[in-house]
Amino acid sequence: MPASPGAKPSVLFVCVHNAGRSQMAAAWLTHLAGDRVEVRSAGSDPGEQVNPAAVAAMAEVGIDISAEVPKLLTVDAVKESDVCVTMGCGDTCPVFPGKRYLDWKLDDPAGQGVEAVRPIRDEIKVLIEDLIAEIAPAKP
């Protein structure tokens, strides 16, 4: 579902703690789509900090998320987004008519070492590449 002509599509990534999966997804989308997409991430119960293993795994591919901070999911963040991608937040994500919702089944990197986070990071990249192709394809 592309945004209206001239408008950038916006994507919100939601997981429980906004410390791993949603942070990696937001970073991948920002990295791969640049300014073609507006990117947000949030959690239904935000953690204290971004998962250090997620920070390390993203650093391995040249993406620095060390300055990111988990944010609380708000109704406004959902309202302002064209696509809401949930990653294991269950029923805590508010649902609004006219929004597109995707639920990505990804392992939770919480408490895992970087070795366990790498395959999650790589799976997220593939999902992000598919999402970009759909909502914000590169101009020829």
Side-chain angles (χ1 to χ4, degrees):
M1 160 173 118
S4 55
K8 284 199 264 201
S10 59
V11 178
L12 170 65
F13 295 101
V14 182
C15 67
V16 176
H17 299 301
N18 188 221
R21 295 166 289 191
S22 56
Q23 290 284 355
M24 289 190 289
W28 272 124
L29 184 54
T30 300
H31 180 76
L32 295 171
D35 62 1
R36 298 196 320 266
V37 179
E38 187 177 339
V39 182
R40 298 180 181 89
S41 72
S44 53
D45 181 19
E48 298 279 317
Q49 65 180 19
V50 175
N51 180 336
V55 173
M58 293 304 287
E60 290 177 351
V61 294
I63 301 173
D64 181 7
I65 62 170
S66 62
E68 296 299 324
V69 177
K71 294 167 280 307
L72 180 63
L73 176 64
T74 64
V75 169
D76 286 344
V78 179
K79 281 184 181 175
E80 294 165 7
S81 300
D82 298 309
V83 179
C84 182
V85 180
T86 58
M87 304 172 181
C89 73
D91 299 333
T92 60
C93 189
V95 175
F96 293 98
K99 301 287 174 201
R100 175 156 176 227
Y101 291 87
L102 301 172
D103 187 35
W104 291 353
K105 307 288 185 203
L106 296 161
D107 291 335
D108 188 347
Q112 304 288 327
V114 72
E115 300 78 21
V117 175
R118 283 185 192 116
I120 301 168
R121 172 201 67 199
D122 297 343
E123 186 177 357
I124 290 170
K125 181 183 182 196
V126 171
L127 291 165
I128 292 295
E129 289 169 339
D130 291 345
L131 182 64
I132 292 169
E134 185 180 330
I135 67 168
K139 304 283 186 267

